[in-house]
């Protein structure tokens, strides 16, 4: 009998997308620390871009190679299409799972939970400027997660594969959490918040790279909404005049859950405002000119 044919399918595929700046050596160490390697019933699938490399001797750790400019959603799609597990988890190479993540996921899978997500905690010291990216994008997802939060983190979600038969994970105007909103609106499935399955934000922060990335993300957002808005998109484009302030105030409100977060936001207010100006310019361009061409920033 063929050993590969007799080998049971893993119950969980962990798809880990990567940016050009991802540290795969550190990722591998953290996967080992979190107890996710040499687990026969799960497969850990890590994206490598261009000439990136990663030592992957463990039986359940596989690498998937993509061109250097492949967006996150195409990396996820490529991995998902080549795997067959019952559950899928989407992670980011720069936001690795912490200890306790895998047992928490196993519990939800055993319970048959269809869609669930966990918190995103910063791994940087309070005064470290690398917190800027975290505060802008993930402060609202710091543990414990607010049960009234109307949004979900795109770098720490898990779901049953069979849901992909009814709702699309990728497509035109993709946003990572669009899938979760579809699951809620079309299937009546409310994603379950799980405070015991955190990931740790460890992304590096380079101002010029980050501002360009925020511009591209804002442009993708504007472009993905322009068809629905029709002629009203020009009115939304004019909103660029107040949008940076509105986005900053949203971040400030999200940080008020804990004094530590509030202090961080106030410390880095100027950088956060500059970043939100970059997003707003991109969103305006998206309403008028469509999607950005540089897919490398669409993570």
């Amino acid at each position: 009998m063929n050993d590969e044919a007799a080998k049971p399918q893993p119950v969980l595929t962990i798809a880990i997308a990567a940016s050009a700046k991802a540290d795969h050596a550190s990722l591998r160490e953290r996967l080992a620390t979190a107890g996710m390697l040499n687990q026969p019933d799960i497969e850990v699938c890590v994206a490598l871009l261009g000439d990136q490399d990663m030592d992957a001797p463990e039986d359940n750790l596989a690498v998937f190679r993509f061109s250097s400019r492949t967006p996150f959603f195409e990396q996820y799609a490529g991995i998902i299409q080549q795997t067959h597990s019952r559950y899928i988890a989407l992670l980011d190479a720069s936001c690795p799972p912490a200890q306790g993540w895998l047992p928490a996921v196993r519990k939800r899978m055993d319970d048959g939970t269809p869609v669930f997500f966990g918190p995103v905690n910063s791994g940087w010291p309070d005064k470290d400027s690398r917190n800027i990216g975290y505060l802008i994008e993930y402060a609202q997802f710091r543990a414990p997660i607010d049960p009234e939060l109307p949004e979900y983190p795109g770098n720490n979600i898990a779901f049953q594969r069979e849901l992909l038969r009814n709702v699309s994970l990728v497509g035109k105007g993709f946003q990572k959490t669009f899938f979760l909103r579809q699951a809620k609106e079309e299937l009546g499935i409310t994603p379950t918040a799980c405070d015991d399955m955190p990931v740790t934000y460890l992304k590096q922060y380079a101002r010029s790279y980050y501002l360009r990335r925020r511009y591209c993300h804002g442009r993708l957002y504007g472009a993905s909404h322009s068809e629905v808005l029709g002629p009203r998109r020009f009115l939304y484009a004019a909103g660029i005049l107040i949008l940076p302030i509105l986005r900053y105030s949203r971040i400030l409100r999200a940080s008020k859950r804990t004094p530590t977060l509030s202090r961080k936001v106030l410390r880095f207010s100027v950088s956060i405002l500059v970043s939100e100006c970059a997003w707003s310019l991109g969103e305006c361009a998206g309403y008028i000119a469509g999607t950005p061409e540089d897919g490398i920033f669409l993570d």
Side-chain angles (χ1 to χ4, degrees):
M1 181 181 293
N2 187 300
D3 290 341
E4 287 299 317
K7 188 176 180 180
Q9 290 292 345
V11 68
L12 171 67
T13 295
I14 301 171
I16 304 179
S19 69
K21 296 181 176 294
D23 183 348
H24 285 84
S26 174
L27 170 65
R28 188 180 177 282
E29 291 177 4
R30 289 181 174 273
L31 290 173
T33 300
M36 298 174 69
L37 303 182
N38 293 316
Q39 297 276 350
D41 61 340
I42 69 172
E43 54 187 347
V44 182
C45 304
V46 180
L48 298 179
L49 304 186
D51 59 357
Q52 289 177 337
D53 199 8
M54 183 179 189
D55 183 22
E58 286 78 9
D59 289 342
N60 71 324
L61 178 59
V63 296
F64 288 69
R65 292 199 171 275
F66 299 91
S67 72
S68 60
R69 309 184 78 79
T70 306
F72 266 37
F73 53 88
E74 291 183 17
Q75 296 175 39
Y76 288 134
I79 292 173
I80 289 171
Q81 289 165 3
Q82 297 179 63
T83 56
H84 306 281
S85 60
R86 184 162 57 92
Y87 273 86
I88 299 166
L90 305 183
L91 299 180
D92 179 335
S94 299
C95 301
Q99 285 187 313
W101 185 92
L102 185 56
V105 171
R106 286 192 183 279
K107 180 180 185 302
R108 271 67 187 197
M109 291 192 300
D110 290 343
D111 292 343
T113 307
V115 185
F116 49 100
F117 65 97
V120 183
N121 298 324
S122 176
W124 302 124
D126 286 354
K127 296 182 180 181
D128 195 312
S129 63
R130 288 173 292 188
N131 277 303
I132 294 171
Y134 172 77
L135 295 169
I136 292 168
E137 300 180 68
Y138 295 106
Q140 66 271 39
F141 302 118
R142 182 182 187 275
I145 297 174
D146 181 355
E148 302 300 321
L149 196 66
E151 54 185 324
Y152 315 102
N155 61 349
N156 188 16
I157 62 176
F159 55 91
Q160 294 173 340
R161 182 183 293 268
E162 65 179 22
L163 297 181
L164 295 178
R165 299 175 184 172
N166 301 303
V167 294
S168 175
L169 178 65
V170 296
K172 186 178 180 181
F174 169 81
Q175 298 169 43
K176 277 180 289 191
T177 55
F178 182 63
F179 166 77
L180 299 185
R181 292 199 295 273
Q182 281 185 302
K184 185 173 183 178
E185 295 170 5
E186 298 182 19
L187 304 180
I189 298 174
T190 299
T192 301
C194 306
D195 284 325
D196 53 353
M197 56 173 283
V199 298
T200 304
Y201 181 96
L202 291 171
K203 288 187 177 182
Q204 298 293 328
Y205 177 80
R207 182 184 295 270
S208 60
Y209 177 91
Y210 190 76
L211 291 179
R212 187 175 178 190
R213 177 178 173 275
R214 290 297 287 170
Y215 171 86
C216 287
H217 276 244
R219 185 163 172 179
L220 176 63
Y221 179 87
S224 67
H225 287 74
S226 62
E227 289 186 11
V228 176
L229 292 171
R232 288 183 298 155
R233 69 183 187 275
F234 296 108
L235 179 62
Y236 277 69
I240 186 178
L241 298 174
I242 61 171
L243 188 56
I245 299 298
L246 293 177
R247 293 186 62 84
Y248 173 80
S249 64
R250 174 176 171 271
I251 294 168
L252 189 60
R253 287 197 305 272
S255 74
K256 287 184 177 179
R257 290 192 299 131
T258 63
T260 300
L261 277 181
S262 292
R263 286 195 295 270
K264 289 180 182 179
V265 171
L266 293 175
R267 179 179 293 117
F268 299 115
S269 287
V270 173
S271 294
I272 292 173
L273 276 167
V274 170
S275 168
E276 294 316 283
C277 286
W279 170 288
S280 301
L281 284 169
E283 186 173 335
C284 178
Y287 289 132
I288 297 171
T291 57
E293 296 180 358
D294 205 339
I296 193 172
F297 293 99
L298 301 181
D299 57 2

